[in-house]
Amino acid sequence: MRAHPLATDALVALGAFATMLLGSFADPHGPHGQPTFGTRVPHLLSLILMILAAAALVLRRRHPRAVLAATSALTLTELVTGEPRAPVAMGAVVALYTLASRTDRPTTWRVGLLTMAALTGVAMLAGPLPWYAQENLGVFAWTGMAAAAGDAVRSRRAFIDAIRERAERAERTREEEARRRVAEERLRIARDLHDVVAHHIALVNVQAGVAAHVMDKRPDQAKEALAHVREASRSALNELRATVGLLRQSGDPEAPTEPAPGLAVLDALVDTFRHAGLPVDVIVQLGPDPEPALPAAVDLVAYRVIQEALTNVRKHAGPGARAEVSVVRVGGSAEVTVLDDGGSGADPSPPPVDPGGGHGLLGMRERAGALGGSCFAGPRYGGGYRVHVILPV
């Protein structure tokens, strides 16, 4: 029906014509005061009016106002001249229903009342029947029901369209939320991978360079450096395995269950830098023992910030540089500070995004911002660099 609206309207027009034609053979006032069928025959003018009214209904959805005006005019003609009357008013009833179902309520009220008043008034005052005849009251009732039915159908369509629109909007919202969460998870995993790779590969590079430098003259020291290389690579593989395990689908082999790194293993992290030749002093003050430990998310971010900051010191600071790490709980926040003195020949302005494509400082800011904290990084007065992160507990 929706694919072929004109054909549907043609079928409706044919049904309306058949109804009007059958109704024209019915006599509500038979010989004994009872309704009869086949005791009267419509006049030629009434038959022509019925044909024209049914033909106009073919265009009822394309031109509802014009069709209503045409069928109303044909009905008025039949009401004034028809004796006996044929139910040409059925065309006006269908046209009024169509107009009411396709317009707004104020238009339905105005046009419906005008059509009811015009057809009923002419039927009562200008027709051959008495004004109180049931045929005249029938014109009033049928036109009123057509307007009411059309308005009800229009309201139901609007209600269904609103429900469908809300459902589609909810579906779009769910899809957007899913995409947003996927993007956030992808960014989080990318930050973890960057932290792991940048830290451990930098240590491997330093220790491998030391081993190559002292291999001939001091094989014992070279052996120790290679041991650190092996330890750093093992740690990198373990952390990469834990991070990539998050990407496994259901049914894949179970991912490692060891906890994410935190301040509890901060000493082991600092030792890797000390073995690489970077002296690091550490101060951790989280309050008295009864005070609860940092939340897991804050603990992980603090660890990653220290890891990235020390990695940047090892990469950018000059020879002989020293670093200081402090983690202090102040009220409802944990403050993480990493300082270095720059050493000799240090890079005066370590870039937040280095030419190799790293995003160290950007990742630290994103991690802090995800918890509602802040990250400040910049050169220190007199040389060196300072990273200061405030994390709400």
Side-chain angles (χ1 to χ4, degrees):
M1 293 176 64
R2 293 180 178 179
H4 305 282
L6 189 61
T8 302
D9 292 339
L11 291 176
V12 171
L14 183 60
F17 174 72
T19 301
M20 290 186 288
L21 184 62
L22 290 175
S24 63
F25 286 92
D27 185 5
H29 308 286
H32 304 287
Q34 299 294 327
T36 58
F37 183 80
T39 57
R40 68 174 185 174
V41 178
H43 294 166
L44 178 61
L45 178 60
S46 298
L47 183 61
I48 294 174
L49 293 176
M50 287 187 290
I51 294 174
L52 293 177
L57 294 179
V58 177
L59 303 176
R60 65 188 181 94
R61 283 194 281 190
R62 292 187 177 183
H63 309 285
R65 296 175 185 269
V67 171
L68 178 60
T71 53
S72 297
L74 296 173
T75 302
L76 291 174
T77 302
E78 174 65 17
L79 292 176
V80 173
T81 61
E83 179 56 38
R85 287 179 181 171
V88 181
M90 183 63 64
V93 168
V94 176
L96 180 58
Y97 164 82
T98 303
L99 180 67
S101 65
R102 303 181 69 84
T103 57
D104 52 14
R105 180 163 294 173
T107 302
T108 299
W109 278 99
R110 290 195 299 267
V111 177
L113 289 176
L114 179 62
T115 303
M116 292 168 57
L119 298 184
T120 306
V122 170
M124 289 182 174
L125 302 178
L129 299 177
W131 68 269
Y132 53 83
Q134 63 180 5
E135 289 88 341
N136 298 335
L137 299 179
V139 172
F140 177 82
W142 276 103
T143 51
M145 286 190 295
D151 183 71
V153 169
R154 178 195 55 76
S155 299
R156 178 172 176 79
R157 287 174 181 170
F159 177 71
I160 294 176
D161 291 341
I163 292 178
R164 184 180 295 111
E165 182 182 359
R166 285 197 297 268
E168 293 175 353
R169 190 186 308 117
E171 184 66 24
R172 289 194 300 269
T173 302
R174 283 194 296 269
E175 293 176 356
E176 292 173 358
E177 178 67 15
R179 286 194 295 268
R180 184 186 66 81
R181 294 195 177 193
V182 168
E184 290 180 352
E185 184 65 13
R186 184 184 298 118
L187 181 60
R188 188 190 67 80
I189 294 175
R191 286 197 299 260
D192 286 342
L193 289 175
H194 170 269
D195 293 340
V196 171
V197 172
H199 166 62
H200 291 290
I201 296 303
L203 294 180
V204 168
N205 179 61
V206 171
Q207 296 292 353
V210 171
H213 182 68
V214 300
M215 180 67 71
D216 296 331
K217 297 181 180 180
R218 286 174 286 177
D220 293 339
Q221 188 174 353
K223 184 178 180 181
E224 182 181 356
L226 291 177
H228 291 315
V229 168
R230 183 176 60 183
E231 184 64 26
S233 61
R234 183 186 298 112
S235 299
L237 288 175
N238 291 336
E239 292 197 33
L240 283 174
R241 188 178 298 112
T243 302
V244 176
L246 298 175
L247 302 177
R248 287 194 174 94
Q249 302 293 332
S250 58
D252 289 345
E254 185 176 358
T257 57
E258 56 266 13
L263 297 179
V265 293
L266 180 60
D267 292 338
L269 173 67
V270 172
D271 286 341
T272 60
F273 287 98
R274 289 170 178 162
H275 292 320
L278 176 64
V280 182
D281 297 327
V282 179
I283 299 176
V284 178
Q285 294 180 352
L286 298 179
D289 294 338
E291 187 172 356
L294 296 180
V298 177
D299 193 47
L300 174 61
V301 170
Y303 177 88
R304 291 304 189 193
V305 166
I306 296 172
Q307 181 185 51
E308 179 61 33
L310 291 179
T311 301
N312 288 340
V313 172
R314 191 67 189 86
K315 291 167 60 178
H316 297 291
R322 298 183 61 89
E324 298 178 6
V325 175
S326 67
V327 182
V328 181
R329 181 163 180 171
V330 181
S333 301
E335 299 188 8
V336 180
T337 306
V338 180
L339 307 173
D340 71 89
D341 57 9
S344 59
D347 185 352
S349 57
V353 179
D354 60 36
H359 297 266
L361 296 183
L362 179 60
M364 285 190 282
R365 292 192 178 99
E366 290 176 348
R367 287 182 179 277
L371 299 181
S374 57
C375 175
F376 306 93
R380 298 173 61 194
Y381 179 76
Y385 211 73
R386 177 177 181 267
V387 176
H388 183 65
V389 176
I390 299 176
L391 302 174
V393 178

